[in-house]
């Protein structure tokens, strides 16, 4: 789930809201893992030391694309098979802004490679959560047996031969050839990146700028959990503070309900009466410590040596 603005954060579905509710859009949505996908989604808010499992409001989530669909210029536009016109293909987890709806389609806007795209996609391909287990590592072929080629010099991928520019390609980029027979000196190809396969570009490149790769090079991708980093709120960063060992579970302040755990030894501000403040992007969240006898998997990580 991609949270687009800071709204209510609760430790129980019917509990009081915590922190700030400014509802101003973030510069970019923060992604969180969904634990319970109910009316009020329960998410995992992770940082280096603490994991919380709060509830958020679905209206604060950014709509995302749930399956690969072409970005159409009009609601009723249909691409041929194979297509004769270049376009953008959007897929799993791409955050979009809904501009308009018509029948079973939605007009959306999103940004990729510092460029903003606008077009129409099937309304059934939009939701607020996605199941990452359904996401293939490489987009499945949309046409019969595309062959991988490599770009041998910087070139342009265009909607039509010598037509509208879609993206610039660099030497070494790889493309899947959809139509191998050059048309007017161009090949119809599909380009995507290993590390970000959620957006693909279909279009024409000059045949002389491509060649079959001898060996497809491997590409490693770094990954990071999005949006869950804690924020140091000055009022709660002052003493008294209490050091809490990894593996301790955290309870809601007024009910014996597990709402998180300590993943790595951490120092939290003590507010008295057994209540501690956990800093989050929503502001400080109040918790209590569960009895040490409460045991179970907590996703603990090894603390660095002192």
């Amino acid at each position: 789930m991609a949270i687009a603005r800071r709204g209510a954060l609760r430790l129980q579905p019917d509990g009081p809201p915590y922190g700030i509710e400014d509802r101003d859009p973030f510069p970019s949505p923060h992604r969180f893992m969904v634990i319970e996908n109910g009316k009020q989604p329960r998410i995992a808010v992770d940082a280096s030391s603490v994991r919380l499992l709060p509830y958020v409001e679905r209206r604060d989530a950014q709509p995302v694309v749930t399956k690969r669909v072409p970005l159409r210029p009009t609601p009723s536009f249909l691409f041929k098979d194979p297509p004769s016109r270049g376009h953008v293909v959007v897929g799993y987890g791409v955050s979009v802004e809904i501009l308009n709806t018509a029948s079973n389609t939605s007009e959306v806007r999103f940004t990729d490679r510092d460029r903003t795209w606008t077009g129409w996609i099937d309304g059934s391909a939009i939701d607020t959560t996605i199941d990452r287990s359904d996401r293939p590592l490489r987009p499945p072929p949309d046409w019969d047996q595309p062959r991988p080629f490599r770009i041998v010099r910087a070139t342009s991928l265009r909607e039509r031969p010598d037509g509208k520019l879609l993206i610039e390609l660099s030497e070494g980029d790889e493309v899947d050839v959809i139509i191998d027979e050059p048309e007017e000196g161009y090949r119809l190809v599909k380009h995507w990146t290993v590390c970000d396969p959620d957006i693909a570009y279909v279009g024409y490149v000059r045949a002389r700028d491509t060649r079959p790769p001898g060996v497809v090079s491997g590409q490693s991708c770094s990954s990071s959990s999005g949006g869950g980093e804690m924020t140091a709120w000055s009022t709660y960063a002052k003493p008294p503070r209490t050091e809490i060992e990894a593996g301790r579970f955290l309870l809601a302040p007024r009910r014996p309900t597990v709402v998180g755990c300590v993943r790595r030894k951490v120092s939290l501000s003590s507010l008295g009466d057994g209540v501690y403040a956990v800093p989050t992007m929503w502001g400080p969240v109040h918790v209590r410590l569960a009895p040490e006898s409460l045991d179970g998997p907590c996703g603990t990580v090894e603390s660095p040596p002192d």
Side-chain angles (χ1 to χ4, degrees), residues 237-285:
K238 299 177 182 178
R241 299 177 68 82
T242 301
E243 192 171 80
I244 302 171
E245 294 294 329
R248 288 295 295 272
F249 283 89
L250 304 174
L251 306 178
R254 296 184 180 87
R255 301 181 192 175
T257 304
V258 174
V259 296
C261 65
V262 177
R263 303 180 65 225
R264 177 185 285 139
K265 183 168 63 176
V266 65
S267 180
L268 295 179
S269 294
S270 175
L271 307 181
D273 197 26
V275 177
Y276 299 88
V278 177
T280 74
M281 56 181 277
W282 285 268
V285 173

Side-chain angles (χ1 to χ4, degrees), residues 201-220:
Y201 295 86
V202 175
Y204 292 85
V205 295
R206 292 186 183 276
R208 66 171 184 261
D209 295 335
T210 65
R211 67 172 174 83
V215 178
V216 177
S217 60
Q219 187 172 354
S220 62

Side-chain angles (χ1 to χ4, degrees), residues 20-101:
I20 300 172
E21 290 186 59
D22 51 28
R23 296 197 182 278
D24 288 333
F26 295 130
S28 60
H30 297 268
R31 291 190 176 186
F32 297 93
M33 180 172 61
V34 176
I35 305 299
E36 299 173 12
N37 193 20
K39 182 178 180 181
Q40 290 176 276
R42 194 177 197 186
I43 63 174
V45 178
D46 272 355
S48 57
S49 301
V50 178
R51 169 176 294 166
L52 292 178
L53 304 176
Y55 294 86
V56 294
E57 295 184 6
R58 193 173 292 276
R59 61 175 174 162
D60 295 324
Q62 178 84 10
V64 293
V65 179
T66 60
K67 59 184 178 182
R68 287 194 172 91
V69 287
L71 191 68
R72 305 198 296 255
T74 64
S76 59
F77 186 91
L78 294 177
F79 289 101
K80 298 178 181 179
D81 184 15
S84 59
R85 172 176 173 172
H87 58 279
V88 181
V89 179
V90 291
Y92 299 88
V94 176
S95 298
V96 296
E97 178 187 357
I98 299 178
L99 304 177
N100 201 354
T101 57

Side-chain angles (χ1 to χ4, degrees), residues 70-231:
L71 191 68
R72 305 198 296 255
T74 64
S76 59
F77 186 91
L78 294 177
F79 289 101
K80 298 178 181 179
D81 184 15
S84 59
R85 172 176 173 172
H87 58 279
V88 181
V89 179
V90 291
Y92 299 88
V94 176
S95 298
V96 296
E97 178 187 357
I98 299 178
L99 304 177
N100 201 354
T101 57
S103 185
N104 296 322
T105 60
S106 296
E107 185 182 21
V108 300
R109 178 167 58 201
F110 65 94
T111 300
D112 181 56
R113 306 191 187 197
D114 299 322
R115 181 172 175 180
T116 299
W117 299 94
T118 301
W120 296 83
I121 64 175
D122 294 338
S124 62
I126 299 177
D127 204 338
T128 53
T129 59
I130 57 170
D131 187 346
R132 282 288 179 183
S133 64
D134 293 337
R135 172 189 178 186
L137 294 179
R138 179 185 176 107
D142 295 324
W143 300 277
D144 290 339
Q145 301 300 321
R147 295 205 298 143
F149 273 57
R150 179 166 295 164
I151 301 299
V152 296
R153 63 180 64 84
T155 189
S156 301
L157 187 149
R158 298 181 177 274
E159 187 178 82
R160 301 181 191 277
D162 290 329
K164 177 183 175 182
L165 173 69
L166 291 178
I167 58 169
E168 298 286 358
L169 297 178
S170 302
E171 180 182 351
D173 284 345
E174 291 179 3
V175 296
D176 285 339
V177 173
I178 298 170
I179 298 179
D180 198 0
E181 293 298 325
E183 176 184 340
E184 300 177 7
Y186 284 81
R187 283 191 170 100
L188 179 64
V189 303
K190 183 176 183 179
H191 172 70
W192 56 280
T193 62
V194 173
C195 296
D196 184 17
D198 295 330
I199 298 177
Y201 295 86
V202 175
Y204 292 85
V205 295
R206 292 186 183 276
R208 66 171 184 261
D209 295 335
T210 65
R211 67 172 174 83
V215 178
V216 177
S217 60
Q219 187 172 354
S220 62
C221 306
S222 61
S223 61
S224 60
S225 58
E229 291 303 314
M230 301 297 183
T231 301

Side-chain angles (χ1 to χ4, degrees), residues 285-306:
V285 173
H286 297 175
V287 298
R288 292 181 181 274
L289 296 181
E292 292 188 43
S293 58
L294 182 60
D295 192 15
C298 180
T300 55
V301 292
E302 184 177 350
S303 298
D306 296 332

